[in-house]
Amino acid sequence: IRRIFPFSRGNSDGDKSMKELLGGKGANLCEMARCGLNVPPGFTITTEVCQEFYPEKLPEELLAEVRNAVAGVEAEMGLKFGDPASPLLFSVRSGAAVSMPGMMDTVLNLGLNDEVVVGFAAKYGDRFAFDCYRRLLQMFGDVVLGIPHEDFEAKLTALKAARGIQYDVQLDANDLRSLVAQYKEVYEANGKELPQDPWEQMFMGINAVFKSWNIPRAIKYREINKITGLRGTAVNVQTMVYGNMGDTSGTGVCFTRNPANGDRELFGEFLINAQGEDVVAGIRTPMPIKLMADIMPGIYAELAANTTMLEKHMKDMQDVEFTVQEGRLFMLQCRNGKRTGTAALRIALDLEAEGLINKDEAVLMVEPRHLDQLLHPQFEDEKKYVKDVITRGLAASPGAAVGRLVFSAEDAEEWKARGERVILCRHETSPEDVGGMHASEGILTCRGGMTSHAAVVARGWGKPCVCGCEALHIDLKSKVNGKEIVLNEGDWLSLNGTTGEVINGQQALKKAEVTGGDLGKLMAWVDKARRLRVLTNADTPEDALVARTNGAQGIGLCRTEHMFFSTHERIAAVRRMIAEEELDSDHKLEALEDLKNFQRRDFEGIFTAMDGMPVTIRLLDPPLHEFLPQEGSAMDALCAQLASELHTTVERVEARLNGLREVNPMMGLRGCRLGIVHPEITEMQAMAIFEAATAVVKAGGHVHPHIMVPLVATTDEMDHQVAIIHAAAAKVADASGTKVPYKVGTMIEVPRAALQAGLLAQRADFFSFGTNDLTQMTFGISRDDAQAKFLSHYTRQGILQTDPFDTLDVIGVGEMVKIAVERGRATKPNLELGICGEHGGDPSSIAFFNKVGLDYVSCSPLRVPIARLAAAQAAI
Ligand code: ADP
Ligand code: MG
Ligand code: MG
């Protein structure tokens, strides 16, 4: 295998397409060198060597290859590594395929020792030489030998205090010489030593950089950013250039466009007489890059020319590191710059207008998370609240929320009614809490994962939510204990649903800054590029309208049970319906009639809001006991009340309701099984749908109801439900004299249904994949418990790369989808296929749905623009 790729001005076998092998930094160093930019010569050791390295030993062959590559650089530079007469120094730099800023390690000034520094000083002056040496001692000590960074800082701070100076640059040669001596004492105190052999330094440095691939903060960073499947880091060994050679030298970083707002300007910072890491370390306040135009006009012009060339060449905004050594500019790094959502949008449109990229490339340049940012309110300045962060949970639903703390859904509603902004904090939420959740600015829970009730509901509404904050101990009576902070009801709290941070106090917010015009323009390109239609999951006319504004092309999932929860009256009617045993009792009929009326009005609203577009309505799905209170005392009160309403005994009501409890409710009496055991519920719902549709048609509207039967496993189940639906349609058509066209379809969410798709397609006008349940049932993992109990361990250990409830498990669950698509379409070529699970809003899952040939995805109203973008990116 080839382990090493050298680069020098005008020359390299590597190039920018080789990021997997050379890392982003290495590939781009090679590319810049090929372009003829002034890159200090060096070489990249590949990411494959990182794999050879583990478990922690440099491959024997590498040592000779490195010596050989160094010889090449020596020849080019006319200097020699370890030679006091003409010393050559190197940096050893990390760099993986995906940039992980500041996560891994880099060591500068390798090759100095007690002897070389003397020669170095003779050549370039004492001050400079000892400045480099103390930097090597500190970085090598910290990065390679694990000596605490603070030990060195303490010496430096004490020295500056003793000398009465503020900045490192004010230290003179004697100060730096004494600092070197003091740093050696730090080594000694830690039982360490700087190897005097430069080669030993080199190999220990390379070793440390490979090792930094697996330090906890790098692992954590990859976990948070879902970076998986990389080989490791590459190592770049590069000739040192010196920004610390006096006032004609310096170092800086710059972006070719403003990364905050996208303005076309050179944006960045510069420090005179400094080495690379000083800029980031914030040792002195760097000056804005534009001031360079006055101080070093020639260099500034060259930098501007280089970066303009690079941006054109890379066809994207660039983030560049450079160093100036005695009036000569060196390029040290370039990469596509990280940017905010606002900037991403502006830059994509501008680059298209400038002719650098086409419309499809512009669409690819705006990432889903950028769009997400644009659509949610944000904190004014995330840096400002760092000291107020109390704890961190799962970033379940993005955005910033600020409000006063309440601990029950009822309180949330009550406070909201008084005009307060509240954050609802619960152990976990249940469907009973939805009113209070809706009244809250944001939701915080101690238990539950990314698909817990709180998370799903919050995302549906675009409300910030932080879940599974296990560090929080809630005393539901009145207070919550954070780390050392005790928060009481009514205290101000801020939630960052994008990062999972829980922050004390009332942090300042800013509105999402979207200039309608720009976003509109990009979204028009997006819509032209995509094949998948994007529908929405909406249960109310308000949600439907939001989704429509966001570009939804219909409703892919209307969950009727959510309508049952929306008021106390409705829950009461549902409970009466459940508690009454006698099918034809007046109580039962009355309860059903009440519910039908509620539903009819809702459907009328939704049909009207979605005029002309399909509305897919799912029949009642959850196990009935979800409509009952969880706490014993509330249950007792309910039984007493129902007994008096239904003129029966408390014991009978209790027996009936307790009879609803199941050991495995998720695999129990729910979905179409409910409609088969209680056909009156299916009939009531179908009647409500057709009556509403007829009313809207009579008022001049255009209605396309698609009725969807959940949790079907067998053809007979489907036949049973379809018959009830057709009968209800006929009944309403007869009574009203108006025939409304409709479709009946099935959800595919049980593996058996996927396997039987060929036969089910004979009975279904459409399939909608319920990928939440399909994942649960295919894996045999409970989506309610799995995250907390073991899924997080799985993802941390790499047993699963991602949570299958977040991102569709393409090779397993995806296979189920593929089978159903093939078998369904074999029976009925024009079978309409969609997906309505949580995955409908997840970009990488959308790419898969595009590939297997679905017709649409359906997601929550606020995810609609993101799904449109992801669908377009999948199609390009
Ligand atoms: P990171 O990935 O954390 O930015 P880098 O490897 O880019 O780490 O290096 C850290 C700093 O050191 C950067 O400012 C970089 O420009 C500077 N640097 C790295 N190599 C050299 C070199 N050969 N000469 C001068 N400065 C260097
Ligand atoms: Mg860098
Ligand atoms: Mg389901």
Coordinates of all heavy atoms in Angstrom, one line a residue, residues 25 93 321 333 335, ligand 2:
K25 N -7.8 18.0 5.2 CA -6.7 19.0 5.2 C -5.6 18.5 4.2 O -5.1 19.3 3.4 CB -6.1 19.0 6.7 CG -5.3 20.2 6.9 CD -4.7 20.1 8.4 CE -5.8 20.5 9.4 NZ -5.3 20.2 10.8
R93 N 0.3 17.5 11.8 CA -1.1 18.0 11.9 C -2.1 16.9 11.7 O -2.0 16.1 10.8 CB -1.4 19.1 10.9 CG -0.2 20.1 10.8 CD -0.4 21.0 9.6 NE -1.6 21.9 9.8 CZ -2.1 22.7 8.8 NH1 -1.5 22.7 7.6 NH2 -3.1 23.4 9.0
E321 N -6.4 29.1 6.2 CA -5.4 29.5 7.2 C -4.2 29.9 6.4 O -3.8 29.2 5.4 CB -5.1 28.3 8.1 CG -6.2 27.9 9.0 CD -5.8 26.7 9.9 OE1 -4.7 26.2 9.8 OE2 -6.7 26.2 10.6
Q333 N -4.0 26.0 4.8 CA -5.1 25.1 4.9 C -6.3 25.8 4.1 O -6.4 27.0 4.1 CB -5.6 24.9 6.3 CG -6.7 23.9 6.5 CD -7.0 23.6 8.0 OE1 -6.2 23.8 8.8 NE2 -8.2 23.2 8.2
R335 N -10.7 24.9 3.2 CA -11.8 23.9 3.3 C -13.1 24.7 3.0 O -13.1 26.0 3.2 CB -11.8 23.2 4.6 CG -12.1 24.2 5.8 CD -12.1 23.5 7.1 NE -12.0 24.5 8.2 CZ -11.5 24.3 9.3 NH1 -11.0 23.1 9.6 NH2 -11.4 25.2 10.2
Ligands
MG2 MG -6.5 24.3 10.9

